[in-house]
Amino acid sequence: MRSTILRHDSATGGTTTRTTTKAITRTRTETATEAERRTTDHGSVECAGPQAARRSDGRDAVVFELCSGLFASMPRTDQRVKAIHYVRGLLGAEGRKSIRNIATLLGGDAAEQSLHHFISSSTWDWTPVRRALAQHIERMAPPQAYVVHPMIIPKAGETSVGVERRFVPELGQVINAQQAVGVWAAAEDWSSPLHWRLHLTSRWLEDENRRAQASIPESTVQESLAQCSVEAYLGMIRGSGLPIRPLVMDARNADVLTTVHRLRAAGTPWLLRVDPSVRLTVLEPTFPRRGASMTAQQIMSTAWHMRRPDPRRPGAGPAGQAGPPGQPAHLRAVRRPGSLVSISATLTADTRRPVGRPGDRPEELLLLGVTDTGQWPAELWLTDLTALRPAELTQLIRLTHRVDRDLTEVADQVGIRDFSGRSFNGWHRHATLASAAHAIALLSGRPQVRRGVADEPLDLTDPTYPEGRGRGYLTDLGDRPDLAS
């Protein structure tokens, strides 16, 4: 069996949560004093904005501390100053975070014209800024995983880059919107966006007039939303110097085999939500149809009736009743929210590929069935993290809900969807600075950001996990997933 082991990064992987919390919650007096000294010493940031934009609650110091390194790649002093102005405006402007509202906070019409040029027409590159942001987050609060998360941006007009009529499954309707994909660093009690990619269709890429008006780069090619999601992640990790961490992504509308191959080539461990129609070949030794190709839904329907040992409730069925005649006493029939089943399997398409090098064989994976609603299964996940326990895999799955909350409670509050310009470059510059504002909101302790974490969280970079912990497992997690063995 191939066991996926996440490499421990000597520079960052050994950081404990207790140390991270201490780093994040340094006294405001110390940080503010340091910021004041730096502001005096460095003319590049002495124009940090008018008094109306300054805060006395400690955030101003965090703005300086983060931005002084984040914007170091910008070639000119005035660009670095405007970047700080813009981030302050995203954090402090009332209502929609448009350039006009930000300029009102910072100084009126002249500021509006200056900031508009800085976002839409300037020459600074957002790529090194995003890389610096990812590295800063890694130092301050190492994440458990990266979560790729789609974002719909409703629009009233038709001129913003990428906007068109789109069907949104979550809403069950067609709306006029942009579609973007974000890559988030995530842990149990926080998440922060690091990288963004716009999904552009042929309507924009094959129309030379639209393409020119939006200044879409020649290197931008048409891709599916699933391809856009994978490329967003790969674009973030290329040359980033970040340690290896699991990727968590919804791949229900993706070609799973192609997606898996791309992630394998990048050396990335992964956890993908998959469609019930995905075909797998079961490897589980006790499975009735071992070696047969079945859909994920068929596998889970069969597996539900295979009661596996529950170390907490030996010899009992529901409500303490014995199982059916002939059924071993250790098998049970509990069916309620919080259940999880994992089955060893491999992608059927993998088994049909020609063998390349001697020793090549299909990769052993885990198919997970999860429910929090009573419906079985509510979600189907596929992963190559075969060495992790079910509780640890469940924790990774729940990071998607963490990102959902933080997108609404933090990112939307700093205007991640509020850019109203037309250009491709302008959208990316705004998204980059909004991501910086999100990180500042996180690190300065905004009320809606829950930063409390356990003293000893699961360290998924620990290379000491034994093989096979997650194989062939059925349990009822209930409200205590931490109790699963």
Side-chain angles (χ1 to χ4, degrees), residues 86-422:
Y86 199 84
V87 170
R88 289 188 190 282
L90 292 171
L91 290 164
E94 296 294 333
R96 190 168 179 273
K97 303 304 169 28
S98 64
I99 290 178
R100 174 167 296 179
N101 284 346
I102 293 172
T104 299
L105 182 71
L106 296 173
D109 293 343
E112 180 179 353
Q113 184 176 2
S114 176
L115 287 179
H116 179 79
H117 179 272
F118 171 70
I119 294 296
S120 298
S121 308
S122 189
T123 57
W124 63 274
D125 184 0
W126 62 81
T127 302
V129 177
R130 292 180 182 178
R131 184 180 302 121
L133 175 61
Q135 292 170 347
H136 183 86
I137 292 292
E138 179 65 39
R139 288 192 300 270
M140 294 297 290
Q144 289 179 329
Y146 300 119
V147 176
V148 174
H149 193 279
M151 181 176 70
I152 288 289
I153 309 169
K155 291 288 181 179
E158 298 182 352
T159 57
S160 295
V161 61
V163 69
E164 59 183 85
R165 302 286 290 175
R166 299 174 182 270
F167 176 74
V168 182
E170 294 80 4
L171 300 177
Q173 60 181 335
V174 175
I175 65 171
N176 200 56
Q178 293 169 309
Q179 170 78 70
V181 174
V183 183
W184 295 62
E188 182 180 0
D189 290 285
W190 64 270
S191 62
S192 191
L194 305 179
H195 189 66
W196 295 95
R197 190 175 181 90
L198 266 176
H199 181 232
L200 300 176
T201 65
S202 58
R203 184 169 182 260
W204 283 88
L205 298 178
E206 296 177 2
D207 186 325
E208 293 299 329
N209 186 47
R210 282 177 174 271
R211 187 161 191 152
Q213 288 180 342
S215 301
I216 299 173
E218 290 297 324
S219 59
T220 304
V221 297
Q222 187 173 347
E223 56 193 4
S224 68
L225 182 57
Q227 291 169 333
C228 181
S229 298
V230 174
E231 287 301 320
Y233 167 74
L234 296 177
M236 184 194 75
I237 64 171
R238 290 188 186 109
S240 66
L242 298 173
I244 296 173
R245 302 202 184 280
L247 173 67
V248 183
M249 187 179 90
D250 189 338
R252 282 176 292 176
N253 295 316
D255 179 335
V256 175
L257 185 64
T258 300
T259 300
V260 167
H261 287 172
R262 295 295 307 278
L263 298 178
R264 283 176 184 165
T268 298
W270 47 267
L271 177 61
L272 305 178
R273 187 173 180 182
V274 296
D275 188 81
S277 63
V278 169
R279 299 198 71 86
L280 299 157
T281 300
V282 178
L283 304 179
E284 197 67 47
T286 59
F287 198 80
R289 297 182 60 189
R290 182 188 182 197
S293 175
M294 304 170 65
T295 67
Q297 182 67 50
Q298 289 171 336
I299 292 171
M300 279 299 150
S301 295
T302 303
W304 184 252
H305 298 93
M306 297 173 60
R307 307 301 180 223
R308 302 291 298 202
D310 179 357
R312 290 172 287 145
R313 299 182 59 189
Q321 299 174 359
Q327 187 183 55
H330 67 263
L331 302 182
R332 60 194 180 86
V334 176
R335 190 173 192 173
R336 66 183 186 185
S339 296
L340 178 144
V341 171
S342 68
I343 295 293
S344 177
T346 191
L347 285 162
T348 296
D350 254 0
T351 66
R352 296 172 178 167
R353 287 190 303 151
V355 176
R357 300 180 300 274
D360 276 359
R361 59 181 181 179
E363 181 179 34
E364 184 170 3
L365 308 172
L366 286 179
L367 174 65
L368 307 173
V370 183
T371 181
D372 286 322
T373 64
Q375 175 188 355
W376 179 257
E379 298 179 8
L380 291 165
W381 293 80
L382 190 67
T383 183
D384 66 348
L385 291 163
T386 57
L388 296 189
R389 293 181 297 229
E392 295 160 342
L393 293 169
T394 302
Q395 187 178 93
L396 290 180
I397 290 171
R398 288 178 176 173
L399 294 182
T400 60
H401 306 306
R402 175 77 263 166
V403 171
D404 277 333
R405 287 193 294 270
D406 286 350
L407 175 58
T408 301
E409 296 176 2
V410 186
D412 276 341
Q413 300 307 311
V414 297
I416 190 64
R417 300 186 226 227
D418 287 351
F419 181 65
S420 56
R422 299 183 178 186

Side-chain angles (χ1 to χ4, degrees), residues 36-54:
E36 183 178 356
R37 182 188 65 76
R38 284 171 156 180
T39 302
T40 302
D41 292 345
H42 300 277
S44 62
V45 293
E46 63 184 2
C47 299
Q51 191 65 29
R54 301 184 65 85

Side-chain angles (χ1 to χ4, degrees), residues 450-473:
R450 298 186 303 174
R451 294 184 297 122
V453 293
D455 285 344
E456 296 184 2
L458 297 171
D459 182 5
L460 300 180
T461 63
D462 186 347
T464 62
Y465 287 109
E467 293 188 1
R469 275 187 170 184
R471 299 180 69 244
Y473 191 100

